[in-house]
Structure formats: C-alpha cells, structure tokens
Amino acid sequence: MEKRANELDYVFVDTPGQIEIFTWSASGAIITEAFASTFPTIITYMVDTPRSTNPVTFMSNMLYACSILYKTRLPLLLVFNKIDVAQHQFAVEVGSIIYKVQQTTIFVMSCV
C-alpha cells in the first residue's frame, strides 16, 4: 500500500475473524498500530440495523463501539447497514440526544 499511497484516496481493510478477537489480540493491535502509524486511519464499526432495533442490542453495540474507541484511540465511524430493511431513525434520534447532552455539558463546564 505504501508504494501506491499517492494513487489512492481511500483503502478499506476488512479485518479477519471475529471483531472481539481482533480488537483484543496482540496481532490485532499490531495491525491497527501499523496502519495508524503510516496512514491517516479511521476505525469503521458496522452496526446491523435490523438487530439493533432491540434496545438491549443497540446499547450492547454502542458499548462495544466505545470499547474499541478507547482501545485503539483512533477516530471511530459508526455505520448502520441494511437501512433498506429496517428504519434507522431510532439511531439518529439517540445520536441527536447524545449530542445535545454533550453540548449542554460543554456549556455548563465553560460557565464554571
């Protein structure tokens, strides 16, 4: 990839195996760090939208995404797939609420 870096705008790498094993294994850390030290790197976490309409599954996905964010310390992009099969509005609403809470917290902290 280094040889062709000037020819490419983006490279998507689908990591092998289960995400739990990849994220928490030594080899997963080596691969992730190798990319991050050489190229601008963003972790993409794919969420199965139809399964995530269940609040427990949705929160499980969000907590797992947070654990990946803190483990890798890289920017994280949540991608909700299969939105043609299941509505994704619930995820947009939750994201909007989280954003509002974050903005309120920042405002309150700046007033202290």
Side-chain angles (χ1 to χ4, degrees):
M1 286 192 338
E2 288 178 7
K3 292 178 184 177
R4 296 189 55 208
N6 60 347
E7 301 172 24
L8 305 171
D9 291 328
Y10 303 98
V11 175
F12 292 89
V13 178
D14 186 6
T15 56
Q18 294 179 308
I19 193 166
E20 295 85 359
I21 296 168
F22 181 82
T23 302
W24 299 103
S25 70
S27 60
I30 291 168
I31 292 169
T32 303
E33 290 169 13
F35 278 113
S37 66
T38 308
F39 305 104
T41 303
I42 297 174
I43 303 293
T44 304
Y45 183 80
M46 188 77 64
V47 179
D48 189 316
T49 305
R51 289 186 179 188
S52 292
T53 56
N54 176 324
V56 172
T57 306
F58 177 79
M59 288 310 299
S60 176
N61 270 299
M62 296 305 100
L63 289 171
Y64 201 74
C66 286
S67 73
I68 293 170
L69 174 69
Y70 286 108
K71 170 76 171 147
T72 62
R73 301 196 181 274
L74 292 169
L76 180 81
L77 176 67
L78 292 173
V79 177
F80 287 82
N81 67 2
K82 304 176 189 171
I83 61 170
D84 58 327
V85 177
Q87 293 295 317
H88 64 287
Q89 190 59 33
F90 68 94
V92 173
E93 290 171 7
V94 169
S96 176
I97 291 167
I98 291 169
Y99 178 77
K100 288 175 186 173
V101 168
Q102 184 180 35
Q103 293 306 307
T104 303
T105 304
I106 290 170
F107 174 74
V108 169
M109 294 301 286
S110 68
C111 292
V112 174

